[in-house]
Amino acid sequence: MKYSTFFKIGVFCLTILLLGCEKDEIKSPQIEYVDGGIGTSQTSGAIEFNFNIPNNYATGRVRIEFPQANLLNEVNGIGYKQIRFSSVFSGTYNYTFEFWGIENNNSEGETEVPSLSKFFIIDKTIEVKNGQTLIITQDLD
């Protein structure tokens, strides 16, 4: 066979390999408004984030920031977690949802402690409504 045939076969195999790679897609959050809730009033609303840090991570960190409203909160660990912002004036806000984690590594005898790795960042815009709680459920799997 000629070298050009090997080259074509190699390019074809690489193309198939690249097209066959599964892309990690970040799922869009589920959003729901409910009337009332802690931290709501006639002039303010509340925001509640619910998520599950899967146990295939040794630990995880979720950090949520609303820069326009000067709101920031984070939680660490694994399992079902919630971050809540109360008494937020009604309006439209941009937020950043960051997920960091340490993947479980079952190899024994390691002396290095792994550092947190940023797995994804979501930048979204939401609307806070007076007298309502905005419940946002984010899938981290």
Side-chain angles (χ1 to χ4, degrees):
M1 280 195 189
K2 295 182 179 179
Y3 288 111
S4 63
T5 305
F6 285 120
F7 179 75
K8 289 178 186 176
I9 291 172
V11 169
F12 177 74
C13 290
L14 283 174
T15 303
I16 296 297
L17 181 67
L18 289 174
L19 291 177
C21 289
E22 187 175 316
K23 182 181 177 186
D24 288 339
E25 292 188 19
I26 300 170
K27 297 179 182 174
S28 293
Q30 296 177 359
I31 296 176
E32 170 188 13
Y33 287 94
V34 295
D35 289 332
I38 297 172
T40 63
S41 69
Q42 292 179 346
T43 59
S44 67
I47 309 164
E48 177 182 297
F49 287 88
N50 297 302
F51 47 89
N52 179 28
I53 300 175
N55 61 6
N56 59 314
Y57 295 97
T59 190
R61 176 186 298 158
V62 170
R63 181 178 187 268
I64 300 172
E65 181 178 14
F66 288 86
Q68 298 158 303
N70 200 26
L71 298 172
L72 172 69
N73 203 344
E74 68 180 44
V75 66
N76 298 303
I78 59 171
Y80 290 97
K81 304 289 182 190
Q82 183 181 85
I83 292 179
R84 184 174 180 82
F85 298 96
S86 299
S87 303
V88 180
F89 290 112
S90 64
T92 303
Y93 297 96
N94 296 322
Y95 75 88
T96 302
F97 183 106
E98 297 180 2
F99 173 53
W100 299 67
I102 299 174
E103 292 188 274
N104 274 333
N105 188 355
N106 295 329
S107 59
E108 296 180 23
E110 285 195 21
T111 56
E112 286 188 38
V113 175
S115 60
L116 284 172
S117 298
K118 190 179 294 186
F119 285 96
F120 64 80
I121 297 177
I122 298 172
D123 291 311
K124 293 268 188 198
T125 302
I126 52 104
E127 181 182 1
V128 176
K129 298 178 181 179
N130 291 336
Q132 294 187 337
T133 299
L134 172 59
I135 299 172
I136 301 172
T137 304
Q138 181 65 54
D139 186 359
L140 302 181
D141 277 338

